[in-house]
Amino acid sequence: MTDTLAIDSAFDKLDCQYYFFYRGHKKIQAGATYCLRISYGAEVLTATVVTDVLPPQIDSAVYIAKFNDINGEHEGVIIYFKDAPSQTNFYRYELLRYVDTSTLVAEQPIVSACLGADSIQVHELGRAVYTDAGLQGGQIKIVAEPSYSHKAGKSGYVFIQAIDKNAYDFLDQLDRQKIAAGNPFAEPVFIQPGQFGDKAVGYFSAKKNSPPVLFIYPE
């Protein structure tokens, strides 16, 4: 089965601009092997992925008013789920909710000439990625740090993304690079050649979301 990706776009009212991407025409099948082939001038880049990631089932999502990480003290959502056994798994969180111009992002008001009085759905993806190494089949806890402000009773949906090693390796390097930026006590991190060797930076991977869990902020 061959699918040719075509350029497409979506207008983001929050950022007031178009975002461009490539869209396929055929539905992705689970447990299948896919090969990506990119022609760019005389260069041909290829990468392979297997869509065999196993999404977990979220047990619960709990609000925490204060937790500490490398960036200081924050509020957050603690997500508990049981790891899918029998293989090494990789995860990150995803939060989905609606925001408007009364919402703060990183403690600053949202300013958008296109949003007006409307609200818009936003996805927040976890910067950090996680592996179940040594915890196969056990319960895992991930703390999600929402970027947007909220009020009591505000709701959203929580997911755990099951990702493959291709995505994990690349995103983990990005996270380490951000942590090392300006930190005199951290080793500098450089993005290592991945699936495309030294000809391109990026990854070709599979991911599948867990069933969503409705979360309502208590405060």
Side-chain angles (χ1 to χ4, degrees), residues 58-68 74-81 93 95 130 139-146 158-160 213-215 217-218:
I58 295 176
D59 296 321
S60 62
V62 181
Y63 177 73
I64 179 171
K66 294 180 181 179
F67 77 95
N68 291 281
H74 313 277
E75 64 175 3
V77 179
I78 306 177
I79 309 165
Y80 295 95
F81 62 95
Y93 71 79
L95 305 178
Y130 304 85
Q139 188 180 65
I140 294 180
K141 176 182 76 173
I142 291 178
V143 180
E145 179 191 341
V158 176
F159 302 84
I160 290 295
V213 169
L214 177 65
F215 178 81
Y217 285 95

Side-chain angles (χ1 to χ4, degrees), residues 99-120:
V99 301
D100 54 39
T101 52
S102 69
T103 309
L104 302 180
V105 55
E107 301 183 355
Q108 298 297 319
I110 289 177
V111 179
S112 172
C114 302
L115 192 55
D118 295 336
S119 59
I120 190 171

Side-chain angles (χ1 to χ4, degrees), residues 36 47-51 53 163-168 171 195 203-207:
L36 175 68
T48 302
V49 68
V50 181
T51 57
V53 291
I163 60 178
D164 67 8
K165 193 173 187 301
N166 296 325
Y168 174 83
L171 296 171
Q195 294 161 282
Y203 62 97
F204 180 48
S205 70
K207 72 100 176 171

